[in-house]
Amino acid sequence: MATDWMQDYQGALKSSGAFREFFNEGFDENEMADRSSVIDTYSFLLPKKIAERIKLLGRDSALAKQFLPHLDEKTNSAGMYDPIGDKTHSKGGQIIHRYENRILFAPTTVCPVMCRYCFRKNELNEKDDLFNADFEKTLQYLKENPEIEEIIFTGGDPLVLSNQKIIFYLNAFSEIKTIKYIRFHTRFVTTIPSRIDQGFVSLLTEASKKFESVIVAVHTNHLEEFDSEVDAAFLKLKALPIQLMSQTVLLKGVNDSETVLIDLFKKLISLGCRPYYLHHPDEVKGGMHFYLPLEDGRKIYAKLRNKLPGWAIPQYIIDIPGGHGKVSAFNPESYRFSRELITLDGSILKL
Ligand SMILES: *Cc1c(COP(=O)(O)O)cnc(C)c1O
Ligand code: SF4
């Protein structure tokens, strides 16, 4: 029998036909044609409950902007295919190893939604061999690289895997004694909250006994993503012996405002979730209509400190194009960007 979350997942709107049919009344014919033509280039996926909420909130809502296809995706030719340089650090198979002590582990390319601003939107479509599965190679790599202490489940979204499959991976990782921390990065909690089911709760509880720390990092960008079901999913996670944190992408037209961010972070802390990262948007081809200059982001971020306790302010970070990794995006001394980057080894790189 399919579980609740699988029904929610399988019932999502997927094709341009489904998009047209559902949002029929929201757009005039030309705009509908423009928007659905985008789906040939960048796929569309939207759980029904979110689609229904978008109908209520309207086409200019933060939800609509995040999840409905827009012609700008095709017409704006700026941006990069691989904006954060993941390919530079791909170790083949399922691993991206950029920082010494931790790896990204991507057992799937699939997500519960297709975020229009996705930094991997070109790769996810391409289905290139960055993500081709080969778990034996992954385990071998971990054994050969004992400096790796943390496995970060990502994708796609690792929660599209069944609980059974996740348990299989966790058991294998628990055999490798150098692995201390397990982290999940997921978009499910605010898009298909039923995914936080009893089986997932149990597997996290078990994992917390096998590893020093288990972390769930929830991706969410706006208060409109929350309802009572979403709140309940957060509270289930909050009750577990894990660290619950959030990641937010700063997006033009969605949350590039002090009040929107403060409302979101206050909501998160009310649910026991600590804001972890605020990502400056990546310069991804097809997502440049969400891009804003770093200086604009710095001006917004500077204002958060007056209204939020320090522990509720996420780190504002930017992934430097070309695979240089994450660095602090905020410079409290100047809104301007010096273009002199202090790299991971402490040297200065002129951008
Ligand atoms: C973001 C990222 C991580 C995780 O970094 P944290 O700063 O620990 O959250 C790990 N590996 C890669 C390649 C990343 O891009
Ligand atoms: S959940 Fe993340 S990887 Fe998946 S579509 Fe959204 S931004 Fe991209």
PDB file of all heavy atoms in Angstrom, residues 198-210 214 239-242:
ATOM      1  N   GLN A 198       6.012   8.259  10.496  1.00  0.00           N
ATOM      2  CA  GLN A 198       6.532   7.523  11.655  1.00  0.00           C
ATOM      3  C   GLN A 198       7.838   6.806  11.326  1.00  0.00           C
ATOM      4  O   GLN A 198       8.764   6.775  12.129  1.00  0.00           O
ATOM      5  CB  GLN A 198       5.471   6.524  12.157  1.00  0.00           C
ATOM      6  CG  GLN A 198       5.805   5.888  13.481  1.00  0.00           C
ATOM      7  CD  GLN A 198       6.230   6.916  14.544  1.00  0.00           C
ATOM      8  OE1 GLN A 198       5.558   7.948  14.726  1.00  0.00           O
ATOM      9  NE2 GLN A 198       7.358   6.680  15.215  1.00  0.00           N
ATOM     10  N   GLY A 199       7.905   6.245  10.123  1.00  0.00           N
ATOM     11  CA  GLY A 199       9.124   5.532   9.729  1.00  0.00           C
ATOM     12  C   GLY A 199      10.328   6.445   9.681  1.00  0.00           C
ATOM     13  O   GLY A 199      11.434   6.070  10.107  1.00  0.00           O
ATOM     14  N   PHE A 200      10.150   7.644   9.199  1.00  0.00           N
ATOM     15  CA  PHE A 200      11.273   8.576   9.109  1.00  0.00           C
ATOM     16  C   PHE A 200      11.692   9.042  10.501  1.00  0.00           C
ATOM     17  O   PHE A 200      12.883   9.128  10.817  1.00  0.00           O
ATOM     18  CB  PHE A 200      10.913   9.763   8.205  1.00  0.00           C
ATOM     19  CG  PHE A 200      12.089  10.658   7.921  1.00  0.00           C
ATOM     20  CD1 PHE A 200      13.193  10.179   7.226  1.00  0.00           C
ATOM     21  CD2 PHE A 200      12.118  11.966   8.378  1.00  0.00           C
ATOM     22  CE1 PHE A 200      14.302  10.992   6.989  1.00  0.00           C
ATOM     23  CE2 PHE A 200      13.206  12.785   8.138  1.00  0.00           C
ATOM     24  CZ  PHE A 200      14.312  12.298   7.446  1.00  0.00           C
ATOM     25  N   VAL A 201      10.687   9.306  11.340  1.00  0.00           N
ATOM     26  CA  VAL A 201      10.966   9.694  12.727  1.00  0.00           C
ATOM     27  C   VAL A 201      11.773   8.586  13.427  1.00  0.00           C
ATOM     28  O   VAL A 201      12.777   8.868  14.102  1.00  0.00           O
ATOM     29  CB  VAL A 201       9.620   9.981  13.459  1.00  0.00           C
ATOM     30  CG1 VAL A 201       9.783   9.962  14.961  1.00  0.00           C
ATOM     31  CG2 VAL A 201       9.040  11.311  12.980  1.00  0.00           C
ATOM     32  N   SER A 202      11.381   7.338  13.217  1.00  0.00           N
ATOM     33  CA  SER A 202      12.098   6.229  13.859  1.00  0.00           C
ATOM     34  C   SER A 202      13.516   6.102  13.333  1.00  0.00           C
ATOM     35  O   SER A 202      14.445   5.843  14.101  1.00  0.00           O
ATOM     36  CB  SER A 202      11.414   4.890  13.614  1.00  0.00           C
ATOM     37  OG  SER A 202      10.080   4.955  13.941  1.00  0.00           O
ATOM     38  N   LEU A 203      13.677   6.273  12.029  1.00  0.00           N
ATOM     39  CA  LEU A 203      15.037   6.084  11.497  1.00  0.00           C
ATOM     40  C   LEU A 203      15.969   7.192  11.990  1.00  0.00           C
ATOM     41  O   LEU A 203      17.152   6.952  12.242  1.00  0.00           O
ATOM     42  CB  LEU A 203      15.039   5.918   9.971  1.00  0.00           C
ATOM     43  CG  LEU A 203      14.922   7.099   9.015  1.00  0.00           C
ATOM     44  CD1 LEU A 203      16.262   7.791   8.801  1.00  0.00           C
ATOM     45  CD2 LEU A 203      14.399   6.599   7.672  1.00  0.00           C
ATOM     46  N   LEU A 204      15.431   8.389  12.191  1.00  0.00           N
ATOM     47  CA  LEU A 204      16.269   9.462  12.746  1.00  0.00           C
ATOM     48  C   LEU A 204      16.642   9.158  14.199  1.00  0.00           C
ATOM     49  O   LEU A 204      17.778   9.368  14.631  1.00  0.00           O
ATOM     50  CB  LEU A 204      15.547  10.816  12.681  1.00  0.00           C
ATOM     51  CG  LEU A 204      15.383  11.454  11.309  1.00  0.00           C
ATOM     52  CD1 LEU A 204      14.609  12.770  11.429  1.00  0.00           C
ATOM     53  CD2 LEU A 204      16.724  11.718  10.633  1.00  0.00           C
ATOM     54  N   THR A 205      15.665   8.648  14.933  1.00  0.00           N
ATOM     55  CA  THR A 205      15.916   8.308  16.334  1.00  0.00           C
ATOM     56  C   THR A 205      17.015   7.242  16.426  1.00  0.00           C
ATOM     57  O   THR A 205      17.937   7.352  17.233  1.00  0.00           O
ATOM     58  CB  THR A 205      14.614   7.800  16.997  1.00  0.00           C
ATOM     59  OG1 THR A 205      13.602   8.765  16.751  1.00  0.00           O
ATOM     60  CG2 THR A 205      14.783   7.609  18.491  1.00  0.00           C
ATOM     61  N   GLU A 206      16.904   6.230  15.569  1.00  0.00           N
ATOM     62  CA  GLU A 206      17.931   5.171  15.550  1.00  0.00           C
ATOM     63  C   GLU A 206      19.280   5.735  15.148  1.00  0.00           C
ATOM     64  O   GLU A 206      20.311   5.412  15.737  1.00  0.00           O
ATOM     65  CB  GLU A 206      17.524   4.054  14.577  1.00  0.00           C
ATOM     66  CG  GLU A 206      16.455   3.125  15.107  1.00  0.00           C
ATOM     67  CD  GLU A 206      16.788   2.595  16.495  1.00  0.00           C
ATOM     68  OE1 GLU A 206      17.874   2.005  16.660  1.00  0.00           O
ATOM     69  OE2 GLU A 206      15.971   2.807  17.429  1.00  0.00           O
ATOM     70  N   ALA A 207      19.285   6.584  14.124  1.00  0.00           N
ATOM     71  CA  ALA A 207      20.550   7.149  13.639  1.00  0.00           C
ATOM     72  C   ALA A 207      21.224   7.974  14.730  1.00  0.00           C
ATOM     73  O   ALA A 207      22.458   7.984  14.850  1.00  0.00           O
ATOM     74  CB  ALA A 207      20.295   8.007  12.394  1.00  0.00           C
ATOM     75  N   SER A 208      20.419   8.648  15.545  1.00  0.00           N
ATOM     76  CA  SER A 208      21.015   9.498  16.590  1.00  0.00           C
ATOM     77  C   SER A 208      21.760   8.665  17.626  1.00  0.00           C
ATOM     78  O   SER A 208      22.601   9.185  18.353  1.00  0.00           O
ATOM     79  CB  SER A 208      19.931  10.356  17.255  1.00  0.00           C
ATOM     80  OG  SER A 208      19.150   9.537  18.100  1.00  0.00           O
ATOM     81  N   LYS A 209      21.468   7.347  17.673  1.00  0.00           N
ATOM     82  CA  LYS A 209      22.208   6.465  18.595  1.00  0.00           C
ATOM     83  C   LYS A 209      23.515   5.990  17.973  1.00  0.00           C
ATOM     84  O   LYS A 209      24.453   5.627  18.671  1.00  0.00           O
ATOM     85  CB  LYS A 209      21.351   5.236  18.958  1.00  0.00           C
ATOM     86  CG  LYS A 209      20.092   5.596  19.732  1.00  0.00           C
ATOM     87  CD  LYS A 209      19.201   4.354  19.902  1.00  0.00           C
ATOM     88  CE  LYS A 209      17.828   4.769  20.410  1.00  0.00           C
ATOM     89  NZ  LYS A 209      16.814   3.732  20.117  1.00  0.00           N
ATOM     90  N   LYS A 210      23.551   5.950  16.643  1.00  0.00           N
ATOM     91  CA  LYS A 210      24.729   5.409  15.956  1.00  0.00           C
ATOM     92  C   LYS A 210      25.752   6.470  15.610  1.00  0.00           C
ATOM     93  O   LYS A 210      26.919   6.152  15.385  1.00  0.00           O
ATOM     94  CB  LYS A 210      24.301   4.723  14.652  1.00  0.00           C
ATOM     95  CG  LYS A 210      23.525   3.452  14.881  1.00  0.00           C
ATOM     96  CD  LYS A 210      23.255   2.768  13.554  1.00  0.00           C
ATOM     97  CE  LYS A 210      22.501   1.470  13.757  1.00  0.00           C
ATOM     98  NZ  LYS A 210      21.520   1.250  12.709  1.00  0.00           N
ATOM     99  N   VAL A 214      23.063  14.018  14.392  1.00  0.00           N
ATOM    100  CA  VAL A 214      22.218  13.906  13.203  1.00  0.00           C
ATOM    101  C   VAL A 214      21.556  15.274  13.011  1.00  0.00           C
ATOM    102  O   VAL A 214      21.049  15.863  13.967  1.00  0.00           O
ATOM    103  CB  VAL A 214      21.149  12.801  13.372  1.00  0.00           C
ATOM    104  CG1 VAL A 214      20.185  12.792  12.182  1.00  0.00           C
ATOM    105  CG2 VAL A 214      21.818  11.446  13.543  1.00  0.00           C
ATOM    106  N   ALA A 239      10.984  17.350  18.253  1.00  0.00           N
ATOM    107  CA  ALA A 239      10.919  16.474  19.419  1.00  0.00           C
ATOM    108  C   ALA A 239      12.021  15.408  19.419  1.00  0.00           C
ATOM    109  O   ALA A 239      12.177  14.683  20.400  1.00  0.00           O
ATOM    110  CB  ALA A 239       9.548  15.802  19.465  1.00  0.00           C
ATOM    111  N   LEU A 240      12.799  15.292  18.344  1.00  0.00           N
ATOM    112  CA  LEU A 240      13.788  14.212  18.221  1.00  0.00           C
ATOM    113  C   LEU A 240      15.173  14.654  18.702  1.00  0.00           C
ATOM    114  O   LEU A 240      15.463  15.853  18.747  1.00  0.00           O
ATOM    115  CB  LEU A 240      13.889  13.772  16.752  1.00  0.00           C
ATOM    116  CG  LEU A 240      12.577  13.299  16.129  1.00  0.00           C
ATOM    117  CD1 LEU A 240      12.779  12.971  14.657  1.00  0.00           C
ATOM    118  CD2 LEU A 240      12.046  12.092  16.879  1.00  0.00           C
ATOM    119  N   PRO A 241      16.023  13.690  19.025  1.00  0.00           N
ATOM    120  CA  PRO A 241      17.386  14.024  19.461  1.00  0.00           C
ATOM    121  C   PRO A 241      18.291  14.362  18.268  1.00  0.00           C
ATOM    122  O   PRO A 241      19.299  13.701  18.026  1.00  0.00           O
ATOM    123  CB  PRO A 241      17.853  12.751  20.182  1.00  0.00           C
ATOM    124  CG  PRO A 241      17.070  11.653  19.535  1.00  0.00           C
ATOM    125  CD  PRO A 241      15.762  12.239  19.102  1.00  0.00           C
ATOM    126  N   ILE A 242      17.881  15.354  17.529  1.00  0.00           N
ATOM    127  CA  ILE A 242      18.635  15.793  16.355  1.00  0.00           C
ATOM    128  C   ILE A 242      18.774  17.312  16.408  1.00  0.00           C
ATOM    129  O   ILE A 242      18.138  17.967  17.228  1.00  0.00           O
ATOM    130  CB  ILE A 242      17.910  15.422  15.034  1.00  0.00           C
ATOM    131  CG1 ILE A 242      16.551  16.139  14.955  1.00  0.00           C
ATOM    132  CG2 ILE A 242      17.733  13.917  14.912  1.00  0.00           C
ATOM    133  CD1 ILE A 242      15.906  16.099  13.585  1.00  0.00           C
TER     134      ILE A 242
END
